[in-house]
Amino acid sequence: MQIGMIGLGRMGSGMVRRLLAKGHDCVVHDPQELAMTQTKKDGASVATSLQDMVRLLSPPRAIWLMVPAAVVDGVLADLLPLLTKGDIVIDGGNSYYRDDIRRSVELQASGIHYLDVGTSGGIAGQERGYCLMIGGEVNIVEHMRPIFLSLAPGVAIASRTPARLLKADEVNDAEQGFLHCGSYGAGHFVKMIHNGIEYGIMAAYAEGLNILRNANIGKLESKPKSDAESTPLRNPEFYQYDMDLPEITEVWRRGSVISSWLLDLTASALFHDPDLDAYAGHVSDSGEGRWTILAGIEEAVPMGVLSAALFERFSSRGRGDFSNRMLSAMRSEFGGHLEKIDALPTKGS
């Protein structure tokens, strides 16, 4: 099947290579000429402009956008005048689902079909495959099925759910790794919640491992603090462990209830850099976590873990520094408490 790909970043380039390996005809475009040169070597046809891409694709065209959410509207504004009735635009990035609903109406007015496809798999997706969460028209999803089947991991990526084995001949789309979730916006809505959950899982691993890393605090604070500003460590004898985090995460990978691909990646990172010296701890968020919290508020559902994980990312970027200084100022005002600078010593410091 022929498909155009706009955006050849970490995800887009890997998706093109996977599609090429599965026998599809890919026409690619990216502002970075080097990215296009590399995919051309892999077998893709290079379009030097959006006009060139539309010319190289046979109607009805299918064009996949793999660009940052912030630039999707700009790309669509340039692309739409070039398209003809019946063409298909797919947004595979991390757009806000409400933008999908708006865009679908705008494109429908010109006879253009639209799919929103939440795409998960990261840089490993080229080999492992991509989990695809799809929103849009049923018939257009079916038309694009060969592409989704090729991008998805396939049923063999995970053991089948035991109850499904009773229907061994009925492997459905979800088991293949892609799912039509509903009408316009549904794909990105599901991906939004997926990423909100991801924030929470990542935070749980990070916080738990931090407790393990500091399990030797009894050695480092063998003499209890005597000043009024510090709560002493009452039982230093209970915190005398020098934990080997690379080995702990490695053993957790095998048979543990908390084993996961994310834990696999965590174990790999710690093996290569046990103290994580290569990282500053400035954790970004691309929007999905915020939108997840907004949805939870509007649905009036509790989400203590997901919201805490998002706020911790804000804190990692220094956004809590002023409030911490404010706390110190208030303590000084009401109690004359002097600010005590007491950096916690840890392994590797």
Side-chain angles (χ1 to χ4, degrees):
M1 185 173 184
Q2 188 185 50
I3 188 167
M5 179 70 73
I6 299 175
L8 299 173
R10 293 186 300 271
M11 293 278 281
S13 59
M15 293 168 71
V16 167
R17 293 186 186 101
R18 186 171 177 87
L19 289 171
L20 290 169
K22 299 281 186 174
H24 296 283
D25 176 15
C26 297
V27 179
V28 302
H29 176 71
D30 190 278
Q32 301 296 323
E33 187 174 343
L34 182 60
M36 292 194 292
T37 300
Q38 183 57 53
T39 52
K40 183 177 181 180
K41 292 178 181 177
D42 296 324
S45 300
V46 168
T48 57
S49 64
L50 295 183
Q51 291 88 341
D52 194 27
M53 170 170 279
V54 170
R55 180 183 62 81
L56 291 171
L57 292 170
S58 301
R61 306 170 185 86
I63 299 178
W64 191 302
L65 309 185
M66 208 65 192
V67 299
V71 304
V72 171
D73 281 329
V75 174
L76 285 176
D78 293 336
L79 183 62
L80 183 56
L82 308 174
L83 300 178
T84 56
K85 185 175 181 179
D87 288 347
I88 303 165
V89 173
I90 303 162
D91 180 4
N94 284 324
S95 288
Y96 191 24
Y97 78 97
R98 296 186 182 185
D99 289 332
D100 294 316
I101 296 172
R102 169 180 56 80
R103 290 166 187 155
S104 69
V105 173
E106 294 169 354
L107 292 177
Q108 280 179 327
S110 299
I112 309 300
H113 302 288
Y114 181 80
L115 297 179
D116 54 282
V117 181
T119 307
S120 180
I123 56 178
Q126 180 180 332
E127 297 299 327
R128 287 170 52 94
Y130 302 87
C131 175
L132 306 173
M133 296 145 271
I134 309 164
E137 303 166 71
V138 174
N139 61 319
I140 302 303
V141 173
E142 188 60 30
H143 175 76
M144 297 303 301
R145 185 179 178 83
I147 296 295
F148 298 143
L149 274 170
S150 296
L151 288 172
V155 69
I157 195 70
S159 58
R160 295 190 71 197
T161 301
R164 292 180 184 268
L165 292 174
L166 299 176
K167 301 179 179 180
D169 295 331
E170 298 181 20
V171 175
N172 66 8
D173 291 349
E175 290 184 281
Q176 295 285 0
F178 69 97
L179 180 68
H180 181 213
C181 301
S183 61
Y184 303 112
H188 278 146
F189 190 96
V190 174
K191 179 58 161 50
M192 174 182 78
I193 305 305
H194 165 284
N195 281 28
I197 292 170
E198 179 184 297
Y199 286 19
I201 296 173
M202 291 173 71
Y205 279 135
E207 291 178 11
L209 289 167
N210 199 25
I211 295 171
L212 288 172
R213 188 172 193 265
N214 287 283
N216 65 343
I217 191 174
K219 294 181 180 180
L220 303 171
E221 294 189 8
S222 56
K223 294 183 179 180
K225 293 182 174 66
S226 57
D227 62 88
E229 299 302 317
S230 305
T231 300
L233 179 64
R234 296 185 180 277
N235 299 105
E237 69 274 17
F238 295 152
Y239 300 95
Q240 299 285 324
Y241 304 113
D242 291 312
M243 297 295 187
D244 190 330
L245 299 192
E247 295 306 296
I248 290 171
T249 50
E250 190 64 34
V251 75
W252 281 351
R253 294 180 60 221
R254 292 167 169 80
S256 164
V257 171
I258 63 169
S259 60
S260 68
W261 182 43
L262 187 55
L263 182 61
D264 296 345
L265 300 176
T266 302
S268 176
L270 287 168
F271 178 79
H272 291 294
D273 186 1
D275 291 313
L276 304 180
D277 292 327
Y279 303 93
H282 183 285
V283 188
S284 299
D285 73 288
S286 55
E288 295 88 348
R290 304 183 192 202
W291 304 332
T292 296
I293 302 309
L294 176 60
I297 291 170
E298 294 187 338
E299 294 174 8
V301 298
M303 49 185 173
V305 172
L306 303 189
S307 57
L310 175 65
F311 297 152
E312 186 62 27
R313 292 193 177 204
F314 295 164
S315 180
S316 79
R317 304 199 292 269
R319 296 298 176 86
D321 290 354
F322 180 80
S323 61
N324 291 333
R325 293 198 300 272
M326 193 72 255
L327 289 171
S328 287
M330 286 187 282
R331 292 186 80 244
S332 176
E333 290 292 321
F334 70 67
H337 300 286
L338 298 178
E339 190 172 50
K340 184 176 177 59
I341 307 300
D342 185 18
L344 182 66
T346 58
K347 287 191 296 183
S349 64

